[in-house]
Amino acid sequence: MASLHSRRQFLQTFGFSAAALLAGRFDLRAASVDPKAQHLFLFGDWGAVLPDPQLQVARTMASYMEGQGIRPAALLSLGDNFYGQMDGGVDCPRWKTQFEDTYPKSQFSGPCYALLGNHDYSVEPAGKAEAQLAYAAAHPGTRWTMPAKWYRFEFPQERPLVTFLMLDSNYQKATAEKLSLTEEERSAQAQWLKAELAKPRTTKYLIICGHHPLYSNAGDSVKLIGEWDALFREQAAHLYFCGHIHDLEHLEFDGHPTSFVVSGGGGTTLRPNEKTESSAQNRFNGRIHGFTHLEITDQRLVVRHIGAEGGQLHAFTKSPQGAVEII
Ligand SMILES: [Fe+2]
């Protein structure tokens, strides 16, 4: 584990900030993308009340895809899908303006696997979580895919390479306005997760997703670490993707099989510049809007953070055996 001193030195030396990135102090060229690989775009914290910068990130996703000559077979939403009011539930006009039209089917024809964030649990005016769980059944043909609060899918659908476990990390205290998982749901999810992880793995990679981070540069979640970290280690999960922190991050622990990636730059206000520390080692922290591109082949995973301006901000590879290399 890096000392706080060495971490600060590292951050000061490389000046991880949106301003520095935009000032051209980093190589913004995308490392070569393999068009024959499987591709998936991830993004969190996008459903802001104001249209920008969500629209800008979405437009960049489309132009990046065209520029690289790839077609992501799926999107993955890391929660806080809709901030603010959602009048009408499954028939709220925001479904069309902020999902169906913002990430159009003509460009992103595959499923959009989604999970719930804390803002998705608000009562505004009815239960927003229930609307998101019910939307697909009410709108046949949509790409929105949220069959349950926690679920499994394999990717790609033919000859899958990755087992994805989508979790509900909403363990916060419930109030009249802000709901959460119930104790019964937490217990049921924990049993389900253990049972899923106990099954023989049939894919090369295991990736787990939730809305809240276990580790981040805005601080660590003792509760989630206690719930899940030992399981991630035991099962050698390759990646944990989350949002909630409004930036793009990559953290590693020496000896930990799991890489921790935050992709919370999908459209709402960026994380303020407060000073906090994670117990994990920081590899990248860009306080910038953007999304994350996951490339998958038999040989490796490639994770790329792409900024809202279209440049590659940070990238690393991970082998099936778990070796990480920054590229
Ligand atoms: Fe959140």
Side-chain angles (χ1 to χ4, degrees), residues 45 80 118 211 244:
D45 305 87
D80 282 357
N118 48 304
H211 176 65
H244 190 59

Short mmCIF file of all heavy atoms in Angstrom, two decimals, residues 45 80 118 211 244, ligand 1:
data_model
loop_
_atom_site.label_atom_id
_atom_site.label_comp_id
_atom_site.label_asym_id
_atom_site.label_seq_id
_atom_site.Cartn_x
_atom_site.Cartn_y
_atom_site.Cartn_z
N ASP A 45 -24.26 7.86 -13.26
CA ASP A 45 -24.57 9.21 -12.77
C ASP A 45 -24.88 10.16 -13.91
O ASP A 45 -24.34 11.26 -13.98
CB ASP A 45 -23.40 9.71 -11.91
CG ASP A 45 -23.07 8.73 -10.80
OD1 ASP A 45 -22.28 7.80 -11.05
OD2 ASP A 45 -23.63 8.86 -9.72
N ASP A 80 -27.81 5.93 -10.49
CA ASP A 80 -28.20 7.33 -10.52
C ASP A 80 -28.58 7.65 -11.96
O ASP A 80 -28.05 8.55 -12.62
CB ASP A 80 -27.12 8.25 -9.96
CG ASP A 80 -27.09 8.22 -8.44
OD1 ASP A 80 -27.95 7.52 -7.84
OD2 ASP A 80 -26.22 8.87 -7.83
N ASN A 118 -28.49 5.52 -5.51
CA ASN A 118 -29.25 6.10 -4.40
C ASN A 118 -30.33 7.07 -4.89
O ASN A 118 -31.43 7.11 -4.35
CB ASN A 118 -28.32 6.78 -3.39
CG ASN A 118 -27.32 7.70 -4.05
OD1 ASN A 118 -26.56 7.26 -4.93
ND2 ASN A 118 -27.28 8.95 -3.65
N HIS A 211 -23.54 0.40 -7.66
CA HIS A 211 -23.51 1.86 -7.80
C HIS A 211 -22.44 2.50 -6.92
O HIS A 211 -21.72 3.40 -7.35
CB HIS A 211 -24.87 2.46 -7.46
CG HIS A 211 -24.87 3.95 -7.50
ND1 HIS A 211 -24.64 4.66 -8.66
CD2 HIS A 211 -25.02 4.89 -6.52
CE1 HIS A 211 -24.67 5.95 -8.40
NE2 HIS A 211 -24.88 6.12 -7.11
N HIS A 244 -21.38 6.68 -8.61
CA HIS A 244 -21.67 7.42 -7.38
C HIS A 244 -20.71 8.59 -7.17
O HIS A 244 -21.13 9.68 -6.84
CB HIS A 244 -21.68 6.50 -6.16
CG HIS A 244 -22.20 7.16 -4.92
ND1 HIS A 244 -23.47 7.70 -4.85
CD2 HIS A 244 -21.63 7.39 -3.70
CE1 HIS A 244 -23.67 8.22 -3.64
NE2 HIS A 244 -22.57 8.06 -2.93
FE FE B 1 -25.04 8.04 -6.18
#
